[in-house]
Amino acid sequence: MRKFTYLAILVCASGSASAQSQVDVYGIADLGVHYSRGMNAGNTPVSGASVGSNLALNSGVNNTSRWGFKGQEDLGAGVAAVFQLEGGLNFDTGTSAKPDKLFDRLSFVGIKSNYGSLTAGRQATILSDAISSVDPLGMRYASFNPNINITALSNTAFGTHAFGVQYGSSGYADNYYRLDNMVKYTLETGPYTVRSSYSFGEVAGNNSALSSVAAGLTYQRDGWSVSGASMKLKNSAGFNLQAYTLGVAYQYGDLVFRANAGDNSAETGPGKQTRQRIASAGVAYSINPELNLTTAYYRVRREASTYSDDGFDRSFIYLEQALSKRSMLYAETDYTSWRGNAAGITAGQANSGRGLGLSLGLMHKF
């Protein structure tokens, strides 16, 4: 711990040692008191025979708690070297979001210029980049947001339709939102943002295993945003996971309308396939400069070989009151209706088909 403290001091000091270099320490602290019924503290459905209320203190109900370092150095001629390190935090327990990765969210270095940026390391996928401007919930509640979980493949482990294996170089089964060993190129030109990426699987003797390739395009002008991406990932056996997303957003005065559609299909074995389709829409309204209301609805439908179709419908309402430029109070409510066996089974008993959540929290950015 002492060595890490010294390292942090040296990193911060280096940012002020040169006029051409800059290093920033930043983060988000988000904690909320969360009430749920039909779900446990982690929003997982509970047995229908023991449905009751649950009260917990949860981290990241609005925006994922995190900390990180980012910086750049001017190399001249409009070229700069950049880096970023970012790790998720559980503010309710003081632990890292991923105990096996200190910087589980981002860990990359690269070069940027007028011709775009080229970065390499652990990075968010182009699917996640594409939905950021068109997600109806505005990327809130990452652990429970279907566009983050399913469209961008952050958590596909729902009941019998879970993929169950690792696709791409994420290091985890059923979670491919961020990938290791990724090279990403981003170019902003006029109203367009062009993205492409490739991640190395690094499997000895098989260069294609656990690899991924992706491309995306975003257009933003006059209050409009249209954003889409396509991505193909492989598992260690060479089976494919193909994912797509396309969304639109439009701002009209104090109102913002957002809608998005996602579709992914995974080869889970010889002759076996799982497909997920996600449709979402929502409206955000700025009641005044300090008070904002956001509503969102998500429809998820899933098909898998040898299993019955299932899915769920989920809706959210967020009310946020700014206390300052960095601090915010928020209230949140969500309702989920699971279909088929999406809710799963506990001890031989079907889980509850309905889930209700209520939260009151505080978020501070530093």
Side-chain angles (χ1 to χ4, degrees), residues 144-197:
F144 207 47
N145 182 326
N147 265 343
I148 294 176
N149 289 171
I150 301 176
T151 303
L153 304 172
S154 176
N155 181 11
T156 62
F158 296 105
T160 56
H161 291 52
F163 295 160
V165 296
Q166 178 183 337
Y167 291 85
S169 54
S170 69
Y172 306 105
D174 292 301
N175 182 338
Y176 332 113
Y177 187 90
R178 296 178 178 85
L179 299 179
D180 300 337
N181 317 317
M182 177 191 286
V183 176
K184 180 191 285 189
Y185 174 72
T186 305
L187 172 65
E188 296 183 12
T189 173
Y192 299 97
T193 301
V194 181
R195 304 179 179 95
S196 62
S197 71

Side-chain angles (χ1 to χ4, degrees), residues 9 13 17 34 78 88 104 175 194 213 278 312:
I9 293 172
H34 181 63
D104 64 295
N175 182 338
V194 181
V213 61
I278 310 94
F312 61 88

